[in-house]
Amino acid sequence: MDIRAHNRAAWDRQVEGGNEWTVPVTAEAVAAAKRGHWHILLTPTRPVPREWFPPLEGLDVLCLASGGGQQGPILAAAGARVTVLDNSPRQLAQDRLVAERDGLAIATVEGDMADLSMFADESFDLIVHPVSNCFAAEVRPVWQEAYRVLRHGGVLLAGFNNPAVYLFDWDLAERTGELRVAHALPYSDAASLSAEEKQRYLEHGDPLEFSHSLEDQIGGQLDAGLVLTALYEDGYPPDSTEPLNKYMPLFIATRAVK
Ligand SMILES: C[S@@+](CC[C@H](N)C(=O)[O-])C[C@H]1O[C@@H](n2cnc3c(N)ncnc32)[C@H](O)[C@@H]1O
């Protein structure tokens, strides 16, 4: 099946449904960022440490699979020259909405995170890639393309899922709170579900997700030529109803340098 086409339509619908990762930052947050007070997220709750960023003024920044009017507008308000690439036209429209509302210059590009051929080698000083590679079937091409379009000394900030989250039967967990191991890794919404489960899933219209091993997430960045300099873990807020959240951090953020 055409994963990108499915996920494009699915994320467009997430915008209509008000999914929290599609809700743009406020005008107040943009105004504060223009005064130097800002933070962004790569994962649900922990702000990215400020020391992870190079000085932003005049920097070429790619927000990779990062539509929704969140990271892009804040970094543009903080002085960077921002390009947002995303597969969902509606997510990109959220970035344009903030840019027009708050007088920011943001370029938006519809495309695939694994194919950055529209950008020349060494086009960016910083790439910001919040949790989104779970929507791509393969992650190593994402790291290879990120490496190619980064300038030497450039920084890649990435958030991703711990693959252990995909072990469980999420249909059951959402209905009953029970965590039952059901899937071998690597997991794929397109291939790991029974025909009946997959049909139910597709009818629901959610984006298709894929687990990636830590070897591909972390080793893949190293194999692409990047040097990892920092890492932290994160979860949903403590009062989240997500059943696995109280047992382990579900997300990882990394800082890597070319
Ligand atoms: C959870 S949202 C992340 C963006 C959000 N700004 C945030 O703060 O996390 C996942 C994003 O990945 C995008 N996406 C999914 N598949 C993609 C692909 N193959 N290439 C580029 N973007 C993709 C979706 O359209 C969606 O905007």
Side-chain angles (χ1 to χ4, degrees):
M1 72 181 289
D2 185 339
I3 307 290
R4 267 191 74 199
H6 174 90
N7 280 352
R8 182 182 300 118
W11 272 101
D12 280 356
R13 273 193 302 276
Q14 298 291 320
V15 176
E16 284 158 31
N19 173 314
E20 69 173 303
W21 307 111
T22 72
V23 178
V25 290
T26 62
E28 290 71 31
V30 170
K34 287 181 180 170
R35 297 192 303 273
H37 303 295
W38 59 270
H39 73 267
I40 62 164
L41 295 173
L42 293 169
T43 56
T45 65
R46 278 180 73 171
V48 183
R50 272 298 273 271
E51 62 270 22
W52 279 28
F53 294 88
L56 285 181
E57 197 57 50
L59 235 57
D60 290 311
V61 176
L62 174 63
C63 294
L64 182 58
S66 178
Q70 292 151 353
Q71 293 83 5
I74 293 295
L75 296 171
R81 270 196 300 268
V82 171
T83 302
V84 181
L85 179 135
D86 201 280
N87 185 43
S88 153
R90 294 290 306 271
Q91 280 284 72
L92 291 169
Q94 301 294 69
D95 288 278
R96 288 194 296 273
L97 182 149
V98 182
E100 279 159 32
R101 182 191 71 195
D102 298 333
L104 300 169
I106 297 178
T108 57
V109 178
E110 187 181 325
D112 182 6
M113 65 180 108
D115 173 11
L116 305 182
S117 52
M118 66 291 275
F119 303 123
D121 295 358
E122 300 179 18
S123 299
F124 297 100
D125 305 292
L126 171 67
I127 299 179
V128 170
H129 181 45
V131 175
S132 53
N133 66 32
C134 51
F135 304 108
E138 302 289 336
V139 72
R140 282 180 179 258
V142 179
W143 304 134
Q144 285 153 6
E145 279 292 81
Y147 179 86
R148 183 183 65 75
V149 303
L150 263 182
R151 297 191 176 117
H152 285 276
V155 175
L156 168 64
L157 306 181
F160 46 87
N161 285 319
N162 187 311
V165 304
Y166 294 97
L167 289 169
F168 301 94
D169 178 340
W170 283 105
D171 191 34
L172 179 74
E174 274 161 25
R175 281 187 287 106
T176 67
E178 182 189 343
L179 288 167
R180 186 184 296 165
V181 172
H183 304 293
L185 301 181
Y187 170 83
S188 150
D189 277 334
S192 303
L193 300 175
S194 67
E196 193 188 313
E197 286 169 327
K198 189 170 164 191
Q199 182 61 25
R200 249 201 334 266
Y201 194 92
L202 292 177
E203 277 166 12
H204 202 251
D206 286 338
L208 295 167
E209 294 193 31
F210 304 84
S211 81
H212 302 299
S213 66
L214 291 176
E215 185 168 321
D216 284 345
Q217 293 282 24
I218 296 175
Q221 293 190 53
L222 302 177
D223 289 345
L226 296 153
V227 175
L228 220 68
T229 63
L231 179 154
Y232 61 85
E233 292 180 292
D234 192 15
Y236 292 113
D239 61 352
S240 160
T241 55
E242 171 73 57
L244 190 58
N245 193 54
K246 59 177 181 285
Y247 297 105
M248 63 175 279
L250 308 181
F251 302 94
I252 297 168
T254 55
R255 178 183 190 275
V257 177
K258 174 167 174 176

mmCIF file of all heavy atoms in Angstrom, residues 18 22 40 45 61 67-68 106-107 124 137 156 168 170 173 178 192 196 198 218 232-233 236 256:
data_model
loop_
_atom_site.group_PDB
_atom_site.id
_atom_site.type_symbol
_atom_site.label_atom_id
_atom_site.label_comp_id
_atom_site.label_asym_id
_atom_site.label_seq_id
_atom_site.Cartn_x
_atom_site.Cartn_y
_atom_site.Cartn_z
ATOM 1 N N GLY A 18 -8.000 18.159 15.645
ATOM 2 C CA GLY A 18 -7.386 18.909 16.748
ATOM 3 C C GLY A 18 -6.348 18.135 17.545
ATOM 4 O O GLY A 18 -6.035 18.517 18.675
ATOM 5 N N THR A 22 -0.878 19.061 16.180
ATOM 6 C CA THR A 22 -1.266 19.870 15.012
ATOM 7 C C THR A 22 -1.707 21.272 15.446
ATOM 8 O O THR A 22 -2.118 22.061 14.605
ATOM 9 C CB THR A 22 -2.441 19.225 14.248
ATOM 10 O OG1 THR A 22 -3.648 19.374 15.025
ATOM 11 C CG2 THR A 22 -2.201 17.751 13.971
ATOM 12 N N ILE A 40 11.485 24.610 22.663
ATOM 13 C CA ILE A 40 10.714 23.728 21.773
ATOM 14 C C ILE A 40 10.772 22.305 22.333
ATOM 15 O O ILE A 40 11.614 21.981 23.176
ATOM 16 C CB ILE A 40 11.216 23.722 20.305
ATOM 17 C CG1 ILE A 40 12.658 23.213 20.209
ATOM 18 C CG2 ILE A 40 11.039 25.082 19.660
ATOM 19 C CD1 ILE A 40 13.063 22.834 18.788
ATOM 20 N N THR A 45 7.080 16.152 26.621
ATOM 21 C CA THR A 45 7.051 17.119 27.741
ATOM 22 C C THR A 45 8.366 17.846 28.041
ATOM 23 O O THR A 45 8.331 18.987 28.473
ATOM 24 C CB THR A 45 6.598 16.429 29.072
ATOM 25 O OG1 THR A 45 7.575 15.462 29.441
ATOM 26 C CG2 THR A 45 5.244 15.761 28.935
ATOM 27 N N VAL A 61 17.691 26.596 9.206
ATOM 28 C CA VAL A 61 17.138 25.512 10.012
ATOM 29 C C VAL A 61 16.103 24.748 9.200
ATOM 30 O O VAL A 61 15.217 25.347 8.582
ATOM 31 C CB VAL A 61 16.479 26.063 11.295
ATOM 32 C CG1 VAL A 61 15.806 24.933 12.083
ATOM 33 C CG2 VAL A 61 17.513 26.755 12.172
ATOM 34 N N GLY A 67 5.669 19.681 10.668
ATOM 35 C CA GLY A 67 4.597 20.657 10.450
ATOM 36 C C GLY A 67 3.726 20.782 11.681
ATOM 37 O O GLY A 67 3.927 20.096 12.688
ATOM 38 N N GLY A 68 2.751 21.680 11.609
ATOM 39 C CA GLY A 68 1.826 21.846 12.727
ATOM 40 C C GLY A 68 1.938 23.190 13.422
ATOM 41 O O GLY A 68 1.230 23.458 14.385
ATOM 42 N N ILE A 106 8.600 31.895 6.911
ATOM 43 C CA ILE A 106 8.824 30.444 7.025
ATOM 44 C C ILE A 106 8.548 29.829 5.655
ATOM 45 O O ILE A 106 7.470 30.046 5.092
ATOM 46 C CB ILE A 106 7.877 29.808 8.067
ATOM 47 C CG1 ILE A 106 8.143 30.379 9.465
ATOM 48 C CG2 ILE A 106 8.012 28.288 8.089
ATOM 49 C CD1 ILE A 106 7.214 29.847 10.548
ATOM 50 N N ALA A 107 9.530 29.075 5.132
ATOM 51 C CA ALA A 107 9.299 28.349 3.875
ATOM 52 C C ALA A 107 8.691 26.994 4.219
ATOM 53 O O ALA A 107 9.137 26.339 5.168
ATOM 54 C CB ALA A 107 10.618 28.159 3.143
ATOM 55 N N PHE A 124 21.865 23.259 5.401
ATOM 56 C CA PHE A 124 21.319 23.664 6.706
ATOM 57 C C PHE A 124 22.375 23.570 7.818
ATOM 58 O O PHE A 124 23.271 22.730 7.774
ATOM 59 C CB PHE A 124 20.122 22.776 7.084
ATOM 60 C CG PHE A 124 18.971 22.908 6.117
ATOM 61 C CD1 PHE A 124 18.767 21.963 5.113
ATOM 62 C CD2 PHE A 124 18.115 24.003 6.187
ATOM 63 C CE1 PHE A 124 17.731 22.090 4.202
ATOM 64 C CE2 PHE A 124 17.073 24.142 5.276
ATOM 65 C CZ PHE A 124 16.879 23.189 4.288
ATOM 66 N N ALA A 137 8.441 3.928 6.985
ATOM 67 C CA ALA A 137 8.731 2.489 7.029
ATOM 68 C C ALA A 137 10.210 2.225 7.304
ATOM 69 O O ALA A 137 10.559 1.244 7.948
ATOM 70 C CB ALA A 137 8.298 1.836 5.719
ATOM 71 N N LEU A 156 21.971 17.947 14.425
ATOM 72 C CA LEU A 156 20.681 17.259 14.220
ATOM 73 C C LEU A 156 20.076 16.955 15.586
ATOM 74 O O LEU A 156 20.675 16.215 16.379
ATOM 75 C CB LEU A 156 20.897 15.957 13.445
ATOM 76 C CG LEU A 156 19.697 14.990 13.397
ATOM 77 C CD1 LEU A 156 18.506 15.606 12.656
ATOM 78 C CD2 LEU A 156 20.096 13.671 12.716
ATOM 79 N N PHE A 168 3.035 -4.097 22.453
ATOM 80 C CA PHE A 168 1.752 -4.355 23.105
ATOM 81 C C PHE A 168 0.550 -4.290 22.161
ATOM 82 O O PHE A 168 0.602 -3.653 21.111
ATOM 83 C CB PHE A 168 1.574 -3.361 24.259
ATOM 84 C CG PHE A 168 2.673 -3.484 25.271
ATOM 85 C CD1 PHE A 168 3.797 -2.664 25.193
ATOM 86 C CD2 PHE A 168 2.623 -4.465 26.243
ATOM 87 C CE1 PHE A 168 4.840 -2.808 26.092
ATOM 88 C CE2 PHE A 168 3.660 -4.620 27.152
ATOM 89 C CZ PHE A 168 4.774 -3.785 27.076
ATOM 90 N N TRP A 170 -2.378 -2.522 21.498
ATOM 91 C CA TRP A 170 -2.861 -1.190 21.886
ATOM 92 C C TRP A 170 -4.370 -1.071 21.833
ATOM 93 O O TRP A 170 -4.961 -0.261 22.555
ATOM 94 C CB TRP A 170 -2.167 -0.093 21.066
ATOM 95 C CG TRP A 170 -0.804 0.091 21.629
ATOM 96 C CD1 TRP A 170 0.372 -0.333 21.086
ATOM 97 C CD2 TRP A 170 -0.477 0.643 22.918
ATOM 98 N NE1 TRP A 170 1.410 -0.068 21.957
ATOM 99 C CE2 TRP A 170 0.915 0.526 23.082
ATOM 100 C CE3 TRP A 170 -1.223 1.206 23.951
ATOM 101 C CZ2 TRP A 170 1.578 0.969 24.228
ATOM 102 C CZ3 TRP A 170 -0.570 1.647 25.089
ATOM 103 C CH2 TRP A 170 0.813 1.530 25.215
ATOM 104 N N ALA A 173 -5.177 -2.377 25.178
ATOM 105 C CA ALA A 173 -4.717 -1.434 26.213
ATOM 106 C C ALA A 173 -5.641 -0.225 26.285
ATOM 107 O O ALA A 173 -5.989 0.232 27.374
ATOM 108 C CB ALA A 173 -3.287 -0.999 25.913
ATOM 109 N N GLU A 178 -5.167 -2.943 30.051
ATOM 110 C CA GLU A 178 -4.254 -4.094 30.194
ATOM 111 C C GLU A 178 -3.136 -4.022 29.161
ATOM 112 O O GLU A 178 -3.389 -3.760 27.975
ATOM 113 C CB GLU A 178 -5.029 -5.412 30.000
ATOM 114 C CG GLU A 178 -4.135 -6.630 30.195
ATOM 115 C CD GLU A 178 -4.818 -7.943 29.804
ATOM 116 O OE1 GLU A 178 -6.061 -7.964 29.692
ATOM 117 O OE2 GLU A 178 -4.107 -8.929 29.586
ATOM 118 N N SER A 192 2.000 -6.136 10.737
ATOM 119 C CA SER A 192 1.976 -6.960 11.954
ATOM 120 C C SER A 192 0.571 -7.307 12.428
ATOM 121 O O SER A 192 0.406 -8.197 13.254
ATOM 122 C CB SER A 192 2.704 -6.244 13.097
ATOM 123 O OG SER A 192 4.024 -5.932 12.737
ATOM 124 N N GLU A 196 -8.192 -8.660 10.095
ATOM 125 C CA GLU A 196 -9.359 -8.022 10.740
ATOM 126 C C GLU A 196 -8.941 -6.771 11.520
ATOM 127 O O GLU A 196 -9.576 -5.717 11.422
ATOM 128 C CB GLU A 196 -9.987 -9.052 11.682
ATOM 129 C CG GLU A 196 -11.352 -8.704 12.213
ATOM 130 C CD GLU A 196 -11.751 -9.732 13.280
ATOM 131 O OE1 GLU A 196 -11.595 -10.935 13.015
ATOM 132 O OE2 GLU A 196 -12.149 -9.313 14.365
ATOM 133 N N LYS A 198 -6.289 -4.995 11.006
ATOM 134 C CA LYS A 198 -5.809 -3.974 10.065
ATOM 135 C C LYS A 198 -6.996 -3.246 9.429
ATOM 136 O O LYS A 198 -6.983 -2.019 9.277
ATOM 137 C CB LYS A 198 -4.937 -4.626 8.998
ATOM 138 C CG LYS A 198 -4.236 -3.601 8.122
ATOM 139 C CD LYS A 198 -3.206 -4.248 7.245
ATOM 140 C CE LYS A 198 -2.810 -3.314 6.124
ATOM 141 N NZ LYS A 198 -2.022 -3.986 5.125
ATOM 142 N N ILE A 218 19.728 4.918 16.695
ATOM 143 C CA ILE A 218 20.978 5.523 17.209
ATOM 144 C C ILE A 218 22.159 5.092 16.337
ATOM 145 O O ILE A 218 22.914 5.930 15.846
ATOM 146 C CB ILE A 218 21.188 5.129 18.693
ATOM 147 C CG1 ILE A 218 20.032 5.724 19.527
ATOM 148 C CG2 ILE A 218 22.535 5.636 19.204
ATOM 149 C CD1 ILE A 218 20.027 5.336 20.985
ATOM 150 N N TYR A 232 18.492 12.260 26.035
ATOM 151 C CA TYR A 232 17.634 12.125 27.227
ATOM 152 C C TYR A 232 16.392 11.348 26.857
ATOM 153 O O TYR A 232 16.082 11.156 25.681
ATOM 154 C CB TYR A 232 17.272 13.499 27.833
ATOM 155 C CG TYR A 232 16.498 14.454 26.939
ATOM 156 C CD1 TYR A 232 15.106 14.395 26.838
ATOM 157 C CD2 TYR A 232 17.160 15.439 26.218
ATOM 158 C CE1 TYR A 232 14.405 15.281 26.034
ATOM 159 C CE2 TYR A 232 16.467 16.331 25.415
ATOM 160 C CZ TYR A 232 15.090 16.252 25.331
ATOM 161 O OH TYR A 232 14.396 17.131 24.528
ATOM 162 N N GLU A 233 15.691 10.881 27.929
ATOM 163 C CA GLU A 233 14.432 10.159 27.727
ATOM 164 C C GLU A 233 13.279 11.014 28.231
ATOM 165 O O GLU A 233 13.466 11.928 29.039
ATOM 166 C CB GLU A 233 14.466 8.822 28.460
ATOM 167 C CG GLU A 233 15.456 7.842 27.840
ATOM 168 C CD GLU A 233 15.484 6.513 28.566
ATOM 169 O OE1 GLU A 233 15.941 6.472 29.728
ATOM 170 O OE2 GLU A 233 15.045 5.509 27.968
ATOM 171 N N TYR A 236 4.928 10.855 28.630
ATOM 172 C CA TYR A 236 3.778 11.743 28.717
ATOM 173 C C TYR A 236 3.729 12.293 30.142
ATOM 174 O O TYR A 236 4.420 11.791 31.037
ATOM 175 C CB TYR A 236 2.506 10.971 28.384
ATOM 176 C CG TYR A 236 2.429 10.540 26.940
ATOM 177 C CD1 TYR A 236 2.480 9.185 26.591
ATOM 178 C CD2 TYR A 236 2.302 11.481 25.925
ATOM 179 C CE1 TYR A 236 2.407 8.787 25.265
ATOM 180 C CE2 TYR A 236 2.236 11.080 24.594
ATOM 181 C CZ TYR A 236 2.293 9.738 24.282
ATOM 182 O OH TYR A 236 2.238 9.349 22.969
ATOM 183 N N ALA A 256 23.053 15.251 17.740
ATOM 184 C CA ALA A 256 24.169 14.727 16.963
ATOM 185 C C ALA A 256 24.773 15.840 16.119
ATOM 186 O O ALA A 256 24.091 16.796 15.750
ATOM 187 C CB ALA A 256 23.716 13.582 16.070
#
